Amino acid sequence: MTNTMKKIGVLTSGGDSPGMNACIRAVVRTGIYHGLEVYGIRSGYNGLINNDFIKLDSHHVSNIIQRGGTILKTARSKEFITKSGREKAYQNLKEHGLDGLVVIGGNGTFTGADIFIREFDFPIIGAPGTIDNDLYGTDATIGYDTALNTVMEAVDKIRDTASSHDRLFFVEVMGRDAGFIALRSGIAGGAEDILIPETETHIDELIAILEKGFRRNKKSSIIIVSEGDDAGGAFEVAAKVKEKYNHYDTRVTVLGHIQRGGSPSSFDRILASTLGYEAVNALLEGRRGEMVGQINKEVVFTPFEKSIKHNKDIRHDLLEMARILAT
Ligand code: F6P
């Protein structure tokens, strides 16, 4: 390792996700192990702009591996989108003498980092932290597994009451632009159908599935709706179905932000620890402008511009499988 770095920073940005704290811990402790000073920057890129830096020692990250959210707080910075905001951020980084940065976040975070590197040639490595799993270059993002388990448990509970009352439930899950949470939680929860933004939703097809179930005496059903589905959110889809097909007593549940909270699963803790550790090693090796991810258990690096938005394919065959298994 050609270690010329003395000080690095770490921040979390965008929507929080379970496992971000485990990743912060890994960055801090790996940095200290290599003799670096590590600074935490609060509230994402806003902290860079507002000079909100705090020196982190090993004890600052004790007892956080199991905690959801992020001890550094997070934000979607509007100011960092502006050139003057990024200039302020760069001045503050220089003032503190930082030589590199680890950013933990999703699409918006890496888009900002990519622009910043091009403008100021500053070394940044990204760790994928989002429940949405919509980043290319990693099988899973930090927080996705925990969110899936949260949704699955909620769906199990809804199924109890759905079957007791013979009801049809539309359950809305997060994922503005991506259906990963909907698809996998739908399979795990045995949903009768799953609606995702990546495929066109036909209300008539959905009704045909419900009708088939109804005819073979299926008394209750659960439809998972991704919040970004082209047919609308769960309330809208339920209304569209009800207009044409009224055989079921219908209810809607929007799971919302409970999907973002909670103690990270063991999978997320291990992934976050690995990627935080590898992010610091990458900075020390002179890498920059890349997201560190894991594919088939191997650590891989992907340039930011490749990792962001809409590049990761959803497994359409799994949708088909889910339908077959639910009928
Ligand atoms: O990007 C993660 C995410 O949880 C999306 O799934 C969701 O659409 C969005 O954040 C919600 O953001 P906010 O917390 O700002 O409402």
Side-chain angles (χ1 to χ4, degrees):
M1 262 178 221
T2 53
N3 182 356
T4 54
M5 292 208 170
K6 300 260 179 295
K7 291 186 189 180
I8 61 166
V10 57
L11 60 81
T12 48
S13 158
D16 61 346
S17 69
M20 279 184 162
N21 280 327
C23 194
I24 294 166
R25 171 180 174 270
V27 169
V28 171
R29 295 212 166 143
T30 308
I32 290 171
Y33 172 79
H34 287 293
L36 304 177
E37 279 184 39
V38 185
Y39 284 78
I41 293 127
R42 289 200 191 92
S43 305
Y45 292 128
N46 284 344
L48 280 185
I49 295 165
N50 301 327
N51 213 1
D52 200 355
F53 290 53
I54 173 184
K55 184 160 179 293
L56 295 174
D57 294 320
S58 193
H59 74 270
H60 287 116
V61 293
S62 293
N63 208 15
I64 66 166
I65 196 168
Q66 78 283 13
R67 281 170 59 190
T70 159
I71 59 160
L72 290 176
K73 297 190 184 288
T74 185
R76 293 189 172 92
S77 175
K78 292 214 165 59
E79 230 191 317
F80 199 72
I81 297 171
T82 67
K83 177 95 199 218
S84 64
R86 293 192 296 275
E87 266 159 9
K88 275 192 219 161
Y90 181 67
Q91 286 317 320
N92 288 329
L93 278 170
K94 286 284 102 185
E95 214 166 275
H96 284 276
L98 260 60
D99 306 304
L101 197 58
V102 176
V103 297
I104 307 164
N107 285 301
T109 307
F110 296 165
T111 304
D114 199 36
I115 297 169
F116 193 77
I117 293 170
R118 285 171 210 274
E119 283 174 345
F120 301 104
D121 194 25
F122 193 84
I124 305 180
I125 290 289
T130 165
I131 63 164
D132 291 349
N133 198 33
D134 57 346
L135 289 164
Y136 177 84
T138 192
D139 287 337
T141 53
I142 298 163
Y144 172 57
D145 182 68
T146 307
L148 275 186
N149 286 316
T150 300
V151 175
M152 183 188 73
E153 281 168 23
V155 169
D156 288 351
K157 288 175 182 162
I158 289 167
R159 199 174 276 290
D160 287 345
T161 178
S163 74
S164 302
H165 284 265
D166 292 344
R167 280 175 173 159
L168 164 63
F169 267 82
F170 292 86
V171 180
E172 184 178 304
V173 301
M174 276 188 170
R176 242 187 319 230
D177 309 303
F180 292 97
I181 295 177
L183 178 58
R184 303 271 169 164
S185 66
I187 293 169
E192 273 63 30
D193 203 9
I194 302 163
L195 312 185
I196 58 173
E198 291 84 352
T199 59
E200 207 179 318
T201 294
H202 300 286
I203 297 295
D204 290 340
E205 277 176 21
L206 174 56
I207 291 172
I209 289 170
L210 293 172
E211 175 61 18
K212 198 171 162 196
F214 190 79
R215 268 194 269 112
R216 65 169 194 80
N217 218 17
K218 202 169 230 198
K219 301 279 193 224
S220 65
S221 286
I222 291 182
I223 310 299
I224 302 286
V225 184
S226 190
E227 63 175 331
D229 189 68
D230 60 299
F235 277 103
E236 243 181 299
V237 173
K240 284 178 184 168
V241 169
K242 218 166 175 187
E243 227 171 67
K244 295 184 169 177
Y245 185 75
N246 206 4
H247 289 22
Y248 280 108
D249 187 17
T250 300
R251 292 291 184 276
V252 174
T253 303
V254 178
L255 294 182
H257 287 78
I258 64 158
Q259 294 162 91
R260 286 238 296 261
S263 180
S265 64
S266 60
F267 179 89
D268 275 328
R269 294 182 198 193
I270 296 164
L271 180 70
S273 300
T274 307
L275 299 186
Y277 171 78
E278 294 291 351
V280 175
N281 289 338
L283 278 177
L284 290 172
E285 280 161 13
R287 303 190 83 113
R288 59 175 63 194
E290 293 171 304
M291 180 195 87
V292 57
Q294 208 174 41
I295 297 178
N296 294 331
K297 300 200 173 91
E298 295 288 326
V299 171
V300 292
F301 291 89
T302 306
F304 282 138
E305 83 251 35
K306 256 186 102 178
S307 70
I308 50 187
K309 235 166 194 166
H310 300 315
N311 281 332
K312 182 144 128 186
D313 280 338
I314 202 133
R315 293 263 314 270
H316 292 275
D317 55 316
L318 291 182
L319 260 186
E320 183 58 22
M321 181 190 87
R323 282 193 182 136
I324 290 168
L325 298 186
T327 49

